């Protein structure tokens, strides 16, 4: 949950008549990052865009995201989820969790 997430979910549900999936939300977040990088650098030059992305954080519909110089996301955008009773539940990090981790043997 963040400032832009409710509007994204509402627009997605209105368009597709279903809640956005994890992949849909993350795809949209990556486009938000690219849009911000192109807007801020005023360029489509791959090196400039890459350097901007590697040196900035981004507030997205999913969560704050940051990438390192190798293009790997750093842990600020990492969550752990489980399907519990057929529904997706966030179990970590604690400040974003809407359920508790269940260990089944």
């Amino acid at each position: 949950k963040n400032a832009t997430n409710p509007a994204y979910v509402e627009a997605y549900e209105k368009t597709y008549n279903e809640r956005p999936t994890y992949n849909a939300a993350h795809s949209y977040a990556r486009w938000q990052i690219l849009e911000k990088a192109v807007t801020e650098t005023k360029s489509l030059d791959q090196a400039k865009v890459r350097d901007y992305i590697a040196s900035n954080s981004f507030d997205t519909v999913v969560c704050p995201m940051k990438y390192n110089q190798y293009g790997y996301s750093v842990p600020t955008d990492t969550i752990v989820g489980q399907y519990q009773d057929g529904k997706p539940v966030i179990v970590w990090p604690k400040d974003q969790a809407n359920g508790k981790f269940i260990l089944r043997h």
Side-chain angles (χ1 to χ4, degrees), residues 15-86:
T15 302
Y16 299 106
N17 297 317
E18 63 184 24
R19 291 187 58 78
T21 63
Y22 171 89
N23 290 336
H26 274 270
S27 295
Y28 186 85
R30 281 6 183 233
W31 282 108
Q32 286 182 297
I33 292 168
L34 180 60
E35 177 184 38
K36 177 77 172 177
V38 169
T39 299
E40 292 298 318
T41 61
K42 297 177 178 51
S43 177
L44 293 174
D45 179 271
Q46 290 182 10
K48 288 180 182 179
V49 171
R50 179 201 61 226
D51 291 346
Y52 183 86
I53 290 172
S55 59
N56 288 278
S57 297
F58 303 89
D59 290 322
T60 73
V61 297
V62 176
C63 63
M65 293 186 174
K66 180 157 180 51
Y67 294 86
N68 65 21
Q69 70 272 23
Y70 304 110
Y72 296 113
S73 61
V74 294
T76 59
D77 75 334
T78 301
I79 62 168
V80 177
Q82 291 184 315
Y83 276 90
Q84 297 176 2
D85 296 321

